[in-house]
Amino acid sequence: MMEKKTDMSVNIAGLKLKNPVIAASGTFGFGREYSALFDLSRLGGIAVKGLTLEPRKGNPPPRIAETPSGILNSVGLQNPGVHAFIRDEIPFLRRYDTAIIANASGNTVEEYEEMVRILSDADVDAIELNLSCPNVKEGCMAFGSTAAGITQVVSRVKPFCKKPLIVKLTPNVTDICELALAAEAAGADAVSLINTLLGMAIDVKTRRPILGNIMGGLSGPAVKPVALRMVYQVSKVVKIPVIGMGGISNGTDVVEFLLAGASAVMIGTAGFVNPYAWVEAINGLEQYMLENNCRSVAELTGGLIV
């Protein structure tokens, strides 16, 4: 009897992944800590920690607050800067057979443009333009919360981008489809969504905000229904691939996002609870495909029956 075969590979606007599970930017750092627990080559890709032109210390502590179904974070894009990433982290990541997605942030359009210029000449496989981080006072969500802002940044960086350009969208808007369409029209090769939902937590004993930055981004299981809905809506209006994220913890969650219209997914917060979440999600997806006679992941994308 022949063993059943499944094709887990995906191609997102030229970004080739062995499977559709990517470590989301922010929670995975640059992969060094998790590399001690499992082979990073199991992953379809790694979206590295958000990068800026210069090193950034991030926001004042406390920067993490647990919620009943997730976490709030206000890390504030702490990172060593793009040049240190290229020098110190890419050689480490290239030891593994996985795609490297650089997450680029900026305070101004000019900074985004410079980031894309630098990363286009670096040994990365794709660039994720972060237009959605709610934890910084300048740039990011200031651009990503309007169609005009997204159009301005994406159209400026696209001529210099030599790699597949993914635009990461914020859920903290009235109409996510309007933003996705703006990104597509301006030249995005794919969109990723959702970033965190803006929230806060209060310590009633001290009557003070728990986070040093007062507000932060909510991630984890609590945001999954919102993320799933937005991925479904966006996939119906754009022709470019959609990468889904938000509350994904296991293989079943992955299948849900694929059925909703995602071509690939990113997993982040789940790794804080279960550091093997990515590997288990890949295994769970493969098991689902075998049990349901799916030969290719592409068969699942957009396969929701309504």
Side-chain angles (χ1 to χ4, degrees):
M1 185 174 179
M2 290 183 63
E3 183 181 352
K4 291 182 179 179
K5 297 286 186 180
T6 59
D7 181 6
M8 298 277 283
S9 66
V10 295
N11 188 324
I12 301 173
L15 173 63
K16 297 178 181 179
L17 309 176
K18 67 175 66 176
N19 65 65
V21 176
I22 304 165
S25 175
T27 59
F28 205 74
F30 299 110
R32 290 183 180 272
E33 293 83 1
Y34 285 101
S35 70
L37 300 175
F38 64 86
D39 182 3
L40 301 187
S41 295
R42 291 292 312 277
L43 301 172
I46 297 172
V48 302
K49 191 166 176 52
L51 300 165
T52 50
L53 275 176
E54 303 298 330
R56 190 181 183 112
K57 293 183 178 180
N59 289 328
R63 304 198 292 192
I64 297 288
E66 188 174 357
T67 70
S69 296
I71 61 169
L72 284 165
N73 93 83
S74 63
V75 174
L77 294 177
Q78 177 185 342
N79 76 98
V82 66
H83 296 291
F85 162 71
I86 292 171
R87 182 188 66 238
D88 301 329
E89 304 300 341
I90 290 180
F92 164 75
L93 289 169
R94 280 299 176 212
R95 299 177 193 171
Y96 301 94
D97 179 23
T98 188
I100 302 173
I101 303 170
N103 182 284
S105 299
N107 292 329
T108 64
V109 176
E110 290 74 19
E111 283 191 11
Y112 274 108
E113 187 177 313
E114 184 63 17
M115 286 290 292
V116 169
R117 285 177 182 267
I118 293 169
L119 289 167
S120 285
D121 290 328
D123 186 17
V124 299
D125 299 293
I127 298 172
E128 184 179 47
L129 209 60
N130 187 355
L131 297 179
S132 52
C133 179
N135 302 320
V136 291
K137 292 182 172 62
E138 297 177 310
C140 289
M141 206 168 75
F143 291 114
S145 59
T146 67
I150 287 177
T151 300
Q152 182 185 21
V153 178
V154 177
S155 61
R156 279 282 294 272
V157 306
K158 181 60 177 179
F160 308 104
C161 192
K162 303 173 185 176
K163 308 290 172 72
L165 182 64
I166 305 163
V167 175
K168 190 169 187 176
L169 302 177
T170 176
N172 301 297
V173 293
T174 303
D175 186 355
I176 189 72
C177 292
E178 180 186 10
L179 303 189
L181 286 167
E184 180 180 40
D189 297 305
V191 289
S192 59
L193 60 148
I194 59 174
N195 208 323
T196 54
L197 286 157
L198 189 62
M200 67 182 292
I202 295 173
D203 184 334
V204 297
K205 293 180 180 178
T206 63
R207 302 189 181 186
R208 295 180 179 276
I210 292 177
L211 295 175
N213 199 47
I214 302 178
M215 291 178 286
L218 176 66
S219 61
V223 310
K224 181 190 162 190
V226 176
L228 201 59
R229 181 263 296 180
M230 289 189 169
V231 165
Y232 174 74
Q233 289 178 313
V234 167
S235 70
K236 292 298 183 185
V237 300
V238 300
K239 295 180 175 62
I240 56 177
V242 175
I243 301 173
M245 73 190 91
I248 300 175
S249 302
N250 52 52
T252 301
D253 293 338
V254 174
V255 174
E256 287 186 57
F257 274 80
L258 294 174
L259 292 174
S263 296
V265 300
M266 293 185 176
I267 298 176
T269 301
F272 290 143
V273 178
N274 174 16
Y276 302 98
W278 297 271
V279 175
E280 292 178 9
I282 294 167
N283 293 340
L285 170 61
E286 186 171 29
Q287 186 62 35
Y288 176 90
M289 291 174 65
L290 288 169
E291 291 174 354
N292 290 273
N293 297 313
C294 297
R295 294 186 178 182
S296 170
V297 168
E299 295 178 25
L300 296 174
T301 296
L304 184 68
I305 300 171
V306 293

